Amino acid sequence: MTEKPDHLPEYLARLADEEAARFITDGLLSGKDDVPSIALNQAAEQLPESPRRRLRAIRDLIDDAMYIHRDERPTQADAWLAPRLHAILRLTRAEAADPALWNYLALGVAPDFVVWRHLSETAKAVNAQYFKGPHYKQAFARLWWSAELFRNGPDYEPVVIACGNQDMLNTVMRLDVIDHRPTAQALVRLLQRGVVRTGRDANALAKVVNTAAATVMYDVIAQDVPRDGDAVRMWIEEGEAGFTVHHRPLPTGPVEEPAPERSVELLANNFAELFADAPVRGRRGDEEEVE
């Protein structure tokens, strides 16, 4: 089984896509081989030293996630790890949009986690996109961005709820509408209400919400407050100052104003109506329609 790197530098680095591809071998994807850490770090681009980029804190968090969930299905680690990874790895959105950071985190810091989390009992190999892929697929980018998009101001509880449904995490993260905060919170609200329960439910909801967005401008009918750049900067500066995030309690995010409750409720009710008419395999009355 893939083991954690035997050489962990002090700070996060970048690993360009073309360099990352060299280290994604069949042996790595099957969990049989390790990444040659010295060669990988020679190929990486070093970043300016910063306390918020210290790898030991990130690696300790990942080790804790695997330990806590060692007797459970690895999928259950997502809801625990996503908000804590976001709180420890304090990035701007521009920084988080750089795939080279996530390539390095997956290959240079925690390839063993990627294999542990994504190598299923029925598959012989991990999908290479979990090491190097789009933000909604790559093992760590998907967690960081889910926390960024589903948090409600400083509150990470909606992230825990969203990441508890794998299809909500995997499907909704692909949609452009998720960048609208009231939309994201309305989707979580339907999980909280029990309107959406299963993965099939989440997939059907995502489909109808995305389809309706072609004719309904969610950001017009359910307005959000402007993003608070000062709050985000202060949150990042705490990371620069070496702020410590404890693993067990749920952390807090940037102290931005939450999405307006009126907008969230309006969309939640609207989405519930859309979902009521959506075909869902296994739901009474929908079997013939979806087959």
Side-chain angles (χ1 to χ4, degrees):
M1 178 64 71
T2 302
E3 297 182 355
K4 63 182 175 181
D6 53 13
H7 177 69
L8 187 67
E10 188 170 358
Y11 297 102
L12 184 64
R14 299 179 71 254
L15 187 67
D17 281 347
E18 57 271 22
E19 295 291 347
R22 294 169 42 205
F23 298 97
I24 302 175
T25 64
D26 291 341
L28 174 64
L29 297 178
S30 65
K32 296 176 182 178
D33 293 344
D34 297 326
V35 176
S37 56
I38 294 177
L40 183 140
N41 282 294
Q42 289 174 340
E45 175 191 343
Q46 301 306 310
L47 294 170
E49 297 181 359
S50 165
R52 70 187 173 103
R53 297 193 185 103
R54 283 195 177 124
L55 292 179
R56 178 47 55 196
I58 300 170
R59 181 68 227 197
D60 286 347
L61 176 69
I62 293 168
D63 285 339
D64 215 7
M66 290 192 288
Y67 177 78
I68 291 171
H69 299 90
R70 64 193 183 281
D71 296 326
E72 304 170 355
R73 296 180 63 184
T75 53
Q76 294 182 273
D78 288 352
W80 187 90
L81 184 55
R84 292 164 176 85
L85 179 67
H86 187 270
I88 284 181
L89 188 55
R90 301 193 176 197
L91 303 172
T92 65
R93 285 194 172 192
E95 289 172 328
D98 181 6
L101 290 179
W102 305 114
N103 292 343
Y104 185 82
L105 194 55
L107 289 161
V109 180
D112 55 321
F113 171 85
V114 180
V115 172
W116 174 81
R117 168 59 185 84
H118 294 288
L119 185 62
S120 68
E121 294 180 358
T122 57
K124 295 182 179 180
V126 173
N127 187 325
Q129 287 192 321
Y130 288 120
F131 283 99
K132 181 182 73 70
H135 76 280
Y136 55 80
K137 189 76 172 182
Q138 203 272 353
F140 294 107
R142 67 193 284 273
L143 296 178
W144 193 95
W145 277 104
S146 68
E148 173 66 9
L149 296 171
F150 282 112
R151 68 179 174 86
N152 195 14
D155 184 11
Y156 282 123
E157 187 60 36
V159 180
V160 176
I161 296 169
C163 292
N165 184 304
Q166 285 296 305
D167 286 276
M168 179 68 76
L169 176 57
N170 294 334
T171 303
V172 173
M173 284 286 290
R174 300 168 184 257
L175 309 181
D176 290 339
V177 294
I178 199 62
D179 197 37
H180 179 236
R181 294 196 312 157
T183 294
Q185 295 307 311
L187 295 172
V188 172
R189 190 69 52 90
L190 296 191
L191 286 171
Q192 289 176 307
R193 291 178 182 175
V195 174
V196 173
R197 299 175 183 273
T198 68
R200 289 175 178 175
D201 288 348
N203 282 323
L205 176 65
K207 184 176 181 178
V208 295
V209 166
N210 195 52
T211 300
T215 56
V216 179
M217 300 181 68
Y218 297 144
D219 57 343
V220 173
I221 67 171
Q223 294 185 357
D224 193 6
V225 296
R227 293 202 66 209
D228 189 344
D230 290 337
V232 174
R233 280 191 293 272
M234 289 179 60
W235 177 73
I236 290 174
E237 287 171 2
E238 286 182 350
E240 293 282 7
F243 180 79
T244 300
V245 176
H246 298 288
H247 295 181
R248 293 306 188 270
L250 191 66
T252 56
V255 188
E256 294 184 277
E257 185 177 344
E261 179 62 21
R262 177 184 174 279
S263 295
V264 175
E265 273 296 296
L266 185 154
L267 287 182
N269 293 334
N270 179 274
F271 294 167
E273 292 178 3
L274 291 174
F275 177 70
D277 295 328
V280 181
R281 183 180 296 275
R283 185 166 65 178
R284 176 176 291 185
D286 290 335
E287 283 292 338
E288 293 183 1
E289 184 174 353
V290 300
E291 290 183 352

